Amino acid sequence: MVLWGWVTLSSLLFSCERSYPLQPISEIPDYFPKPFPDDSLNKSTPQRVLLGKELFFETQLSADGKVSCASCHNPKLWYSDKVAHSKSAFADDSTIRNAPPIFNLAWKKPFFWDGGIKNLESLSFAPLQSHSEMRADLAKQIPFLNRKVAYRVLARQAYNSDTINSQVLGRALAVFIKSITSYNSKWDKVQQGKSAFSAYELQGKTIFERKCQSCHKPPLFYDNKHHNIFLDTDSLPKDHEKIFYGRYRITYNAEDIYAYSTPSLRNLVFTAPYMHDGRYKTLEEVLTFYEDGCRPIHHLKSNEKAPLLAFLKTLTDSTVVK
Ligand code: HEC
Ligand code: HEC
């Protein structure tokens, strides 16, 4: 057994190899910023990525053994799902917010639509324990994992631990999540001098630069900030957890009422519906929202929508559907 490489051993232990997009961190283009530094206790290694991947698809981490992280973060949709509010097999309630896609999170901080999570290593415990998501009782679920030799072998190889425990779980999932990167769109090919925009896409790019990129900043197309883009202008709903108040729920700063994290605009064709509550089913609906001149942000003219959409489509990376 000692003679086998870890990849061979692990793929023998986990008989069904799941395909998922993994673009090597080493090939990240030079026009990307530096990722937030790895926690020195949790650097990425191939064994950690592999363990995190297995855990991400592990349905035994949920109360009824049917729901995994991938149930709402489907790799074929850049780890998002098709519905506005996700619903677990067993849950009577759905998630209040839309499940965001997962890619290029090594540059993101904080996480969740309201920025309520600062650290990727601890993020997974929220969905694991949430009543509307996986409803896991870790005291039950973790011993179950450790009954599988494969997990104990991987825990040893990845973290020098005899068993999976909650630290190993949170860290391995974080390493896997950070390994999911996206930088193979037409937009990227243009940056690399391997492709060129059409005249129509260029027209859209000019509109984008004037009206959108102050928040959706290339090359990630997000800015790690929260903004109120005036989706909601009604009086505040009276809910005691302030879940509909956006970032205000976390900071209690009045200017954060209705402010949400700027999402990336990469891979939009895979990630409908849109916005923190999935209220828009199509990109056309989103652009119509940005067209409404009553809102105090740069609004679009109706003849700008089609070229802008053509530009947004150049941000599509189809590696996931291969
Ligand atoms: C029932 C559906 C569901 C399941 C299962 C689920 N998630 Fe999520 N996930 C969501 C929703 C909804 C959000 C948005 C939460 C928010 O912002 O308030 C989210 C947010 C996230 C984010 C934040 C992304 C960002 O850009 O800030 C990450 C990372 C994530 N989930 C990882 C996981 C992991 C890891 C698991 C498994 C341990 C998991 N999710 C299980 C629905 C789900
Ligand atoms: C002031 C900052 C800001 C500007 C300017 C801005 N956006 Fe946004 N955008 C956001 C924020 C914040 C969200 C999330 C809002 C929410 O869900 O409550 C968002 C959401 C989106 C979404 C939905 C993405 C998803 O995954 O749900 C799209 C598409 C989008 N914006 C496109 C554009 C376009 C096109 C423009 C230019 C016309 C633009 N944005 C201008 C901040 C901005």
Side-chain angles (χ1 to χ4, degrees):
M1 223 164 91
V2 182
L3 294 175
W4 298 350
W6 65 270
V7 177
T8 330
L9 176 60
S10 311
S11 40
L12 281 174
L13 292 169
F14 289 102
S15 51
C16 94
E17 263 302 293
R18 292 155 184 121
S19 66
Y20 77 104
L22 180 58
Q23 301 174 21
I25 294 261
S26 57
E27 286 170 23
I28 285 168
D30 53 12
Y31 50 83
F32 266 52
K34 282 214 172 355
F36 285 119
D38 268 4
D39 177 344
S40 59
L41 296 169
N42 196 28
K43 290 222 184 313
S44 179
T45 66
Q47 294 89 332
R48 290 176 179 183
V49 173
L50 184 65
L51 175 57
K53 185 186 90 173
E54 291 303 328
L55 293 167
F56 193 87
F57 290 91
E58 181 54 82
T59 52
Q60 293 304 334
L61 277 171
S62 70
D64 70 348
K66 292 199 180 110
V67 181
S68 71
C69 308
S71 306
C72 304
H73 300 286
N74 175 353
K76 294 218 165 77
L77 301 171
W78 273 110
Y79 298 86
S80 67
D81 61 6
K82 280 191 161 57
V83 292
H85 304 280
S86 322
K87 201 164 184 315
S88 294
F90 51 76
D92 24 33
D93 48 350
S94 330
T95 60
I96 290 170
R97 296 195 184 129
N98 183 240
I102 297 180
F103 58 81
N104 295 348
L105 295 189
W107 293 268
K108 189 164 178 176
K109 216 177 251 184
F111 305 95
F112 282 5
W113 284 104
D114 57 17
I117 302 269
K118 286 194 187 130
N119 177 322
L120 215 42
E121 273 71 20
S122 60
L123 179 142
S124 297
F125 298 105
L128 280 167
Q129 293 174 331
S130 150
H131 199 257
S132 57
E133 292 171 64
M134 297 168 82
R135 222 181 271 186
D137 174 354
L138 291 180
K140 269 198 212 133
Q141 258 80 39
I142 286 183
F144 195 89
L145 298 184
N146 282 317
R147 269 183 241 154
K148 286 196 194 167
V149 180
Y151 275 123
R152 298 205 306 272
V153 170
L154 271 180
R156 161 70 56 210
Q157 292 173 336
Y159 288 100
N160 201 20
S161 165
D162 290 333
T163 53
I164 306 275
N165 55 37
S166 55
Q167 273 195 348
V168 168
L169 178 72
R171 289 180 184 181
L173 280 167
V175 169
F176 170 65
I177 288 169
K178 282 187 226 175
S179 77
I180 306 169
T181 49
S182 177
Y183 49 77
N184 279 319
S185 64
K186 175 166 188 185
W187 186 89
D188 293 283
K189 303 260 158 35
V190 174
Q191 307 309 302
Q192 295 158 18
K194 294 176 189 158
S195 181
F197 290 127
S198 68
Y200 204 51
E201 288 163 354
L202 271 177
Q203 206 182 319
K205 179 171 177 274
T206 308
I207 299 161
F208 184 81
E209 285 165 355
R210 290 210 328 270
K211 306 197 169 177
C212 318
Q213 80 168 20
S214 60
C215 301
H216 298 285
K217 285 200 170 80
L220 296 160
F221 295 90
Y222 60 75
D223 61 355
N224 282 328
K225 291 193 181 131
H226 296 78
H227 304 274
N228 176 3
I229 61 167
F230 300 89
L231 281 167
D232 295 309
T233 48
D234 299 341
S235 58
L236 291 170
K238 293 184 179 47
D239 84 296
H240 64 286
E241 286 195 3
K242 301 195 167 39
I243 192 89
F244 301 108
Y245 288 48
R247 178 122 179 99
Y248 176 80
R249 176 171 181 251
I250 307 297
T251 62
Y252 282 84
N253 291 333
E255 67 266 30
D256 286 338
I257 293 177
Y258 298 141
Y260 288 91
S261 162
T262 310
S264 174
L265 300 186
R266 286 178 177 268
N267 302 318
L268 288 170
V269 301
F270 295 104
T271 64
Y274 306 102
M275 301 301 178
H276 68 274
D277 53 4
R279 68 178 64 189
Y280 298 130
K281 290 196 181 67
T282 63
L283 285 173
E284 285 77 5
E285 285 176 49
V286 174
L287 295 187
T288 300
F289 158 76
Y290 278 111
E291 187 185 352
D292 186 335
C294 300
R295 296 192 176 83
I297 58 170
H298 311 292
H299 44 263
L300 291 170
K301 298 197 187 86
S302 63
N303 65 356
E304 291 177 323
K305 291 194 292 182
L308 183 53
L309 190 57
F311 172 74
L312 291 176
K313 288 189 175 162
T314 70
L315 302 177
T316 308
D317 178 346
S318 298
T319 351
V320 285
V321 286
K322 274 194 193 139

